[in-house]
Amino acid sequence: MVVQQYRDGGGARAVRALAAAGVIAVTAGCLGVDVGGGAADGSGQRSVAADRPLDLLGQAADVLVEAGGAETRTSMETAAGGTRVTIRGQGAYDFRKQMGRLRVVLPKDPAGKDAAGAEGHRPITELLAPGALYMKNRGAGVPDDKWVRIDTTGLKDGNLVTGGVTDPMAAAELLRGAADVTYAGKTELAGVTVHHYRGVADLGRAARAASPQSRGALSAAAKGFSKDAVPFDAYLDEDGRLRKVRHRFTFSSDARGPEVSVVSTLLLYGFGLPVTVTLPDEDAIYTGEIRQG
């Protein structure tokens, strides 16, 4: 296995981050919130392993924009004390418009209830847009035909974990803040050759380098987290497209509370897929009180 170390600045930072109160609701399962050209490999394709990893990771979001749409699968595993919860999502995302639609499934406990305590809660539909998150089938007193709209720039975590799904563009833009990267070698992912990189992303640096559409949410996260460092594993294919990324967030709910670990994983495939996302009209947005958990 090839292992190379690349440093930028003062090296890796601490790996703990403090998330927003809305994330604690996700931990409880109720999703509650307060409203450069590379070298050729002989076939004409550029080889990502021959480029500088810091440059490649910094350009990963731009490469996805060029690719357009893609299908995506997500998982967010939260662990606190002896409790472990996994929230899964599947859908499609348009990296040019930075909009997506996902079907998010809450786990059920052995008694057949979902993590929010409801009997057979329907999957939650989430619409992702710059600066906003829309959720349908939110439960907790929200009418079935209404959507909940959340301003992600007002969330202390910038919606990196609050919605149970890390916005695919935000996940890619986080890599712009990579400060300490290790190349872990070549492997295969779903039949595709990928190059594996491990590192630590700096939220503040990522926010400053992000696209205007992502900057607000990432800036909120940089201010809201107690530490800027986010460890990651990223897998890029031979064309520099991000195929998989896993971010690790660790925080404490309060000084006396248990430490909470959140591992957010994003898979991307089916590049070039046309993606259509229609945001709900204003009269479809629920403005009443939302019960927590």
Side-chain angles (χ1 to χ4, degrees):
M1 181 177 68
V2 180
V3 177
Q4 298 174 356
Q5 192 77 12
Y6 300 81
R7 298 184 182 275
D8 185 6
R13 299 189 178 185
V15 299
R16 297 187 66 250
L18 177 64
V23 183
I24 307 304
V26 174
T27 305
C30 60
L31 288 175
V33 293
D34 289 331
V35 170
D41 63 2
S43 64
Q45 286 186 315
R46 65 183 184 183
S47 172
V48 297
D51 286 324
R52 292 186 66 245
L54 290 172
D55 292 338
L56 284 167
L57 295 171
Q59 297 165 5
D62 297 327
V63 174
L64 290 177
V65 171
E66 293 177 6
E71 295 182 75
T72 180
R73 289 180 181 269
T74 69
S75 72
M76 186 168 287
E77 184 178 272
T78 306
T83 303
R84 187 175 298 274
V85 172
T86 301
I87 301 170
R88 302 189 185 279
Q90 182 174 1
Y93 193 88
D94 185 328
F95 287 94
R96 291 174 182 165
K97 296 181 179 179
Q98 297 194 16
M99 299 177 69
R101 183 184 183 97
L102 294 98
R103 180 178 183 267
V104 178
V105 180
L106 299 179
K108 292 184 178 180
D109 64 20
K113 296 182 179 181
D114 64 28
E119 296 286 353
H121 192 295
R122 290 173 295 173
I124 296 172
T125 299
E126 294 194 5
L127 303 181
L128 306 174
L133 167 66
Y134 298 82
M135 295 190 294
K136 194 172 186 180
N137 297 336
R138 165 63 175 75
V142 180
D144 290 345
D145 61 342
K146 295 293 185 179
W147 293 81
V148 174
R149 184 188 186 280
I150 300 166
D151 179 2
T152 55
T153 64
L155 294 173
K156 291 184 178 179
D157 73 310
N159 195 35
L160 294 180
V161 293
T162 290
V165 172
T166 299
D167 184 297
M169 191 63 180
E173 298 253 39
L174 263 176
L175 298 178
R176 297 186 192 273
D180 193 349
V181 179
T182 297
Y183 176 56
K186 184 185 296 187
T187 186
E188 190 172 283
L189 180 66
V192 176
T193 298
V194 293
H195 298 272
H196 180 193
Y197 301 93
R198 294 191 182 100
V200 178
D202 182 281
L203 277 167
R205 179 180 298 182
R208 292 189 294 272
S211 63
Q213 297 95 322
S214 300
R215 193 169 300 145
L218 288 177
S219 295
K223 294 176 182 177
F225 280 50
S226 61
K227 296 290 179 66
D228 275 357
V230 180
F232 68 84
D233 284 81
Y235 301 78
L236 277 63
D237 65 19
E238 294 287 355
D239 293 322
R241 295 177 300 193
L242 185 66
R243 293 279 182 163
K244 178 180 178 180
V245 62
R246 179 182 293 115
H247 294 103
R248 298 171 181 84
F249 306 92
T250 305
F251 60 94
S252 295
S253 56
D254 55 53
R256 299 178 302 278
E259 188 173 77
V260 180
S261 174
V262 179
V263 179
S264 177
T265 303
L266 170 72
L267 292 172
L268 295 170
Y269 55 100
F271 291 101
L273 175 78
V275 179
T276 301
V277 178
T278 303
L279 300 182
D281 296 330
E282 285 299 321
D283 58 3
I285 305 299
Y286 181 67
T287 58
E289 182 178 354
I290 300 175
R291 297 197 305 267
Q292 299 299 314

